Amino acid sequence: MQEDGLRLDIISRDGHSISRRQISENALKVLYRLNKSGYKAYLVGGGVRDILLGLQPKDFDVVTNATPEDIKKLFRNCRLVGRRFRLAHIVFGRDVIEVATFRGHHSETDDKVSKSNAEGRLLRDNVYGEIDEDAERRDFTINALYYDISDYSIRSYGGGISDLNARTIKLIGDPETRYREDPVRMLRAVRFATKLDMQIDATTAEPIKTLAPLLSDIPAARMYEEVLKLFFAGKAEENYQMMQHFGLFAPLFPQVSALISESPKGHAAKMLQAVMRNTDLRVSQDKPVTPAFFYAAILWYPLKQRADDIAIESGLTLYDAHVAAMGDVMEQQCRTISIPRRFSTPAKDIWQLQLRLERSQGTRAFKMIENPKFRAAYDLLLLRGEVESGNIAKIADWWKSFVEADETERGEIVKSSSKGSNSRNRNAPQRKRRRKPAAKTKPAAE
């Protein structure tokens, strides 16, 4: 037990289930070399937590009292990264072991190594210290677990082992202060709760709704990575529901959230649920999931609304209004989540193909199906059919029968659809022809 600060429990090798066989060979190389060179070295955080829970860790992170410069001298395959907090990446081919120096507490007068903004968010954090200080600087107790390579014991701070056994997510320190330091911790609380099937401690959860708007100040590039972790790991639907409960979804997706607020059971809300379920299903089946389709799908109804507004305001055709709206909607989304062009450009292609799919139920379907983005656009059309029903559902059914048919059957489908019907999109609003003003007649002479 620490006299000051966090409670410390030391679990000897015979008191826990971690074996070196469960730790990656490259992580062990790093730990052993640091230890043999006279430094303290620990496996920390998620790697220790997941092994204790019987899960396969995604990453093996290491902490040490060696400075980044010391680490670089020890490892030729080391590169130093990070500005907010300096880290060493030890590169073994595609495997990267991240090594951090113990973090320390801030000195109020030392602005060279640490800096926070007016809201309390840490902007720069290169403050080094001892292991006890490092533990106090960690976010959740279940991540304040250190596996000591020198004697194979575990150092558990703040009741981390107890919380792990109780399946409780608990912040270290005052929740409001810690969330203000880094608002992304609110998203991490949600993600750990769903990923590990745990409950968020009441004290840890209490300030989240009030502080959720702070996420708007997080750099958009960082939020892109957080969204991948939230929605592409098989827990998208659960994370979405919990984010809505805490008010964390709106700061990330303001356009979608605005439509859901207007109509909680409308098309945008139904599409979001469908996309989350669809993404989780694909992850469970080991099928690829792509941010291009994800963003194209959840932003479809904000795009549709913006296109309708542009068409009414400018008199542009629906197609031209859609093209104009694509840039507006994607630009607004990128203010909160920086979507790389390798995904935003295909998302726009998927959007553009929606109007063509609605008009191409004839011989043009043969050429359409060869488009490299056809499959993604077709999948979005099927989701729209589920959400909207009506004419869009009929169009989606036509395409489904066409896609699943063989070449001979496709010819018959096209022939039957050509008889007595045209391929115009009846679902799209049509521009009304302007009536010519009636000729003025002279009043009859009295």
Side-chain angles (χ1 to χ4, degrees):
M1 183 82 174
Q2 296 290 99
E3 291 183 8
D4 297 303
L6 289 177
R7 161 187 160 192
L8 170 62
D9 297 306
I10 298 179
I11 299 96
S12 61
R13 174 64 191 89
D14 58 0
H16 66 78
S17 60
I18 294 181
S19 162
R20 278 168 288 170
R21 290 192 299 271
Q22 298 165 292
I23 302 171
S24 87
E25 184 181 341
N26 292 326
L28 287 173
K29 286 179 184 177
V30 172
L31 288 164
Y32 280 133
R33 185 176 299 182
L34 284 166
N35 182 249
K36 288 176 181 177
S37 301
Y39 297 106
K40 295 176 182 177
Y42 302 84
L43 188 70
V44 69
V48 181
R49 179 199 70 215
D50 289 351
I51 293 174
L52 289 172
L53 288 172
L55 304 173
Q56 177 60 45
K58 184 180 177 184
D59 301 300
F60 292 93
D61 295 334
V62 171
V63 286
T64 177
N65 61 343
T67 67
E69 291 71 24
D70 293 333
I71 299 165
K72 190 168 178 62
K73 289 177 184 176
L74 282 178
F75 297 91
R76 288 183 299 174
N77 53 334
C78 171
R79 61 169 185 249
L80 302 184
V81 299
R83 294 171 65 183
R84 183 167 171 253
F85 187 76
R86 201 79 165 141
L87 298 167
H89 280 180
I90 316 297
V91 182
F92 298 90
R94 292 187 176 182
D95 188 21
V96 177
I97 305 299
E98 186 173 279
V99 184
T101 304
F102 293 140
R103 289 177 295 178
H105 292 304
H106 300 154
S107 166
E108 294 296 329
T109 58
D110 192 356
D111 198 43
K112 293 181 181 178
V113 291
S114 65
K115 187 174 177 63
S116 61
N117 66 8
E119 286 73 37
R121 182 162 63 86
L122 295 180
L123 303 177
R124 192 166 61 245
D125 196 19
N126 289 313
V127 186
Y128 304 134
E130 298 299 323
I131 186 172
D132 297 337
E133 294 174 288
D134 186 83
E136 291 174 354
R137 294 294 316 284
R138 296 203 167 263
D139 49 12
F140 302 102
T141 58
I142 59 169
N143 290 335
L145 302 170
Y146 298 74
Y147 175 80
D148 190 341
I149 197 65
S150 67
D151 61 4
Y152 316 122
S153 65
I154 292 176
R155 297 171 73 95
S156 166
Y157 287 88
I161 286 285
S162 299
D163 290 336
L164 200 68
N165 293 333
R167 309 198 77 81
T168 302
I169 307 293
K170 190 181 295 182
L171 264 174
I172 294 171
D174 174 63
E176 182 167 345
T177 302
R178 301 310 305 278
Y179 289 142
R180 287 188 181 278
E181 284 179 351
D182 185 0
V184 170
R185 286 175 180 146
M186 294 183 280
L187 295 178
R188 285 168 63 80
V190 168
R191 183 160 56 83
F192 287 142
T194 60
K195 174 186 175 182
L196 305 174
D197 191 24
M198 293 184 174
Q199 295 294 318
I200 301 176
D201 173 70
T203 305
T204 297
E206 195 274 330
I208 296 180
K209 286 184 180 179
T210 304
L211 300 178
L214 293 177
L215 286 173
S216 301
D217 299 327
I218 298 297
R222 186 180 176 200
M223 292 312 306
Y224 171 75
E225 295 297 330
E226 291 301 323
V227 168
L228 291 183
K229 295 173 186 175
L230 284 162
F231 298 128
F232 289 79
K235 297 288 183 179
E237 191 170 12
E238 286 184 67
N239 283 330
Y240 167 65
Q241 296 292 353
M242 196 175 290
M243 288 170 71
Q244 284 286 43
H245 171 73
F246 286 118
L248 297 169
F249 186 78
L252 275 62
F253 298 94
Q255 297 173 98
V256 186
S257 187
L259 284 183
I260 294 174
S261 296
E262 289 175 15
S263 179
K265 295 183 179 180
H267 292 159
K270 290 178 181 177
M271 174 61 82
L272 207 54
Q273 294 279 8
V275 170
M276 299 304 174
R277 281 196 302 272
N278 182 63
T279 303
D280 285 343
L281 180 62
R282 291 185 69 85
V283 171
S284 70
Q285 296 173 342
D286 289 325
K287 291 182 179 179
V289 288
T290 167
F293 179 81
F294 178 83
Y295 285 105
I298 67 172
L299 293 172
W300 170 254
Y301 289 105
L303 172 72
K304 194 171 185 299
Q305 184 184 62
R306 180 65 186 137
D308 289 345
D309 291 344
I310 290 174
I312 293 169
E313 292 165 6
S314 64
L316 290 172
T317 63
L318 186 63
Y319 184 85
D320 289 341
H322 255 76
V323 172
M326 288 192 296
D328 290 354
V329 170
M330 192 60 74
E331 182 183 345
Q332 284 191 53
Q333 183 58 66
C334 285
R335 289 174 188 168
T336 54
I337 302 169
S338 183
I339 306 169
R341 281 191 180 178
R342 68 181 184 275
F343 299 124
S344 64
T345 299
K348 291 177 182 177
D349 293 339
I350 294 168
W351 285 339
Q352 205 163 11
L353 284 173
Q354 292 306 297
L355 295 184
R356 292 178 60 189
L357 283 168
E358 292 176 30
R359 295 195 298 259
S360 299
Q361 298 126 64
T363 54
R364 284 182 293 180
F366 288 101
K367 186 175 181 181
M368 191 72 165
I369 205 169
E370 296 173 1
N371 190 299
K373 298 295 184 296
F374 169 80
R375 189 72 209 191
Y378 165 70
D379 287 343
L380 177 53
L381 181 66
L382 293 183
L383 286 181
R384 290 175 58 205
E386 289 178 28
V387 166
E388 296 180 37
S389 67
N391 196 55
I392 286 296
K394 290 178 183 177
I395 294 171
D397 286 342
W398 187 94
W399 274 105
K400 191 170 188 291
S401 63
F402 183 81
V403 167
E404 294 176 355
D406 60 30
E407 287 300 317
T408 304
E409 292 170 333
R410 285 177 181 176
E412 293 300 319
I413 291 170
V414 167
K415 281 181 186 178
S416 62
S417 65
S418 300
K419 292 177 183 178
S421 66
N422 61 55
S423 57
R424 255 176 103 187
N425 175 18
R426 298 172 184 271
N427 198 54
Q430 303 298 322
R431 293 178 63 191
K432 293 181 179 179
R433 293 184 182 179
R434 292 183 179 178
R435 287 187 177 182
K436 291 182 180 180
K440 292 183 179 179
T441 56
K442 292 183 180 180
E446 294 182 2

